[in-house]
Amino acid sequence: MSLTQTPQRSTSKGQRTKETILEKAVDLASVEGLEGLTVGRLAKEMHMSKSGLFGHFGSKEDLQLATISKAREIFIERVIQPARNGAEPGLLRLWHLCDLWLQYMEDEVFAGGCFYIAASAEFDGRPGAVRDTVANDMKVWLDYLRIQIEKAQMAKQISADVDPQQLAYEINAFYMGANWKLQLYHDLTAANRSRIAILNRLKAAATPTAPSLPANDNFKI
């Protein structure tokens, strides 16, 4: 997965139909799981014939892998690209990235919450191509977070004493906690609680000359 490459969309009718199918597939999978995502289930939702869907996906695994690819594309469009366009590399881009990530959760881009958290929990103990693809995407994301932290260190905006891998791990954990509380308890303060937790961690890591981050009381809980 490249998190810096703009997803390319085809203008052909067949490709547009496939994109529409996959948008529904990602939404369904976020609620019912990738294992529950079958050609028959999806055909019913799309009011299409099974044979029509089989023309786009040769097997259930092909459908699952294409759904993961679509989820990745949506994540890049909603989180990665706006963060890159909104700030130069450094502390503010790192914060912008975290804020957009939480906004993506709050906006209920997928009916069942964060697609990757759901897929990770579903397939963490199952061998195979689907599990490997989800695991690789998550690794790339954590590496991307780490690289943004390292860039902030290079800009002398985060202390050189901070372990980038540890900080990336903590930020990811705060996000996972927010998704859990939002989905299980429908707690609408969950994302802002994680925003405050991430801000506190970034402020503790920031150098005296780093640009200012938002005040915690900007976020209601």
Side-chain angles (χ1 to χ4, degrees):
M1 175 174 73
S2 173
L3 296 181
T4 58
Q5 188 174 16
T6 302
Q8 299 297 313
R9 294 183 181 274
S10 173
T11 57
S12 71
K13 183 179 179 180
Q15 187 61 32
R16 289 198 303 271
T17 300
K18 187 173 182 178
E19 290 291 326
T20 302
I21 293 168
L22 287 173
E23 286 171 4
K24 174 58 71 174
V26 174
D27 208 37
L28 278 174
S30 73
V31 177
E32 300 177 8
L34 279 165
E35 195 59 32
L37 188 64
T38 64
V39 171
R41 176 76 174 88
L42 194 52
K44 183 178 179 180
E45 285 290 328
M46 297 297 299
H47 305 290
M48 293 177 64
S49 66
K50 289 184 181 180
S51 60
L53 274 173
F54 267 121
H56 295 285
F57 311 102
S59 68
K60 180 177 178 177
E61 185 175 272
D62 288 343
L63 173 59
Q64 291 172 327
L65 293 173
T67 299
I68 297 168
S69 180
K70 183 62 181 179
R72 181 191 312 136
E73 178 185 309
I74 293 170
F75 184 81
I76 292 169
E77 290 179 343
R78 294 294 297 260
V79 180
I80 305 296
Q81 290 178 350
R84 293 181 69 223
N85 295 336
E88 294 296 318
L91 183 63
L92 291 183
R93 178 182 286 185
L94 177 60
W95 163 247
H96 196 35
L97 185 68
C98 297
D99 186 38
L100 284 164
W101 191 20
L102 288 161
Q103 186 66 53
Y104 151 93
M105 178 201 303
E106 286 177 307
D107 288 347
E108 297 184 324
V109 173
F110 305 122
C114 179
F115 174 88
Y116 276 104
I117 290 180
S120 296
E122 184 182 7
F123 279 88
D124 59 3
R126 301 183 184 186
V130 174
R131 184 260 179 204
D132 292 346
T133 301
V134 171
N136 182 69
D137 281 4
M138 291 304 299
K139 180 182 183 301
V140 172
W141 165 243
L142 285 170
D143 285 345
Y144 187 77
L145 271 179
R146 172 184 55 77
I147 289 167
Q148 299 312 305
I149 294 163
E150 290 172 350
K151 287 183 177 180
Q153 288 178 317
M154 291 172 63
K156 301 189 184 305
Q157 296 175 1
I158 286 181
S159 171
D161 295 335
V162 170
D163 179 347
Q165 190 167 339
Q166 176 65 25
L167 181 52
Y169 177 92
E170 292 174 22
I171 290 171
N172 188 64
F174 287 136
Y175 176 84
M176 292 181 72
N179 187 78
W180 166 78
K181 196 162 192 182
L182 181 62
Q183 293 304 311
L184 188 61
Y185 296 108
H186 306 290
D187 185 342
L188 299 181
T189 71
N192 277 348
R193 290 188 185 278
S194 284
R195 280 189 177 92
I196 291 170
I198 291 170
L199 277 172
N200 286 340
R201 188 65 184 87
L202 293 182
K203 288 173 183 177
T207 62
T209 57
S212 298
L213 291 165
N216 289 8
D217 57 12
N218 286 356
F219 306 104
K220 296 179 180 180
I221 57 174

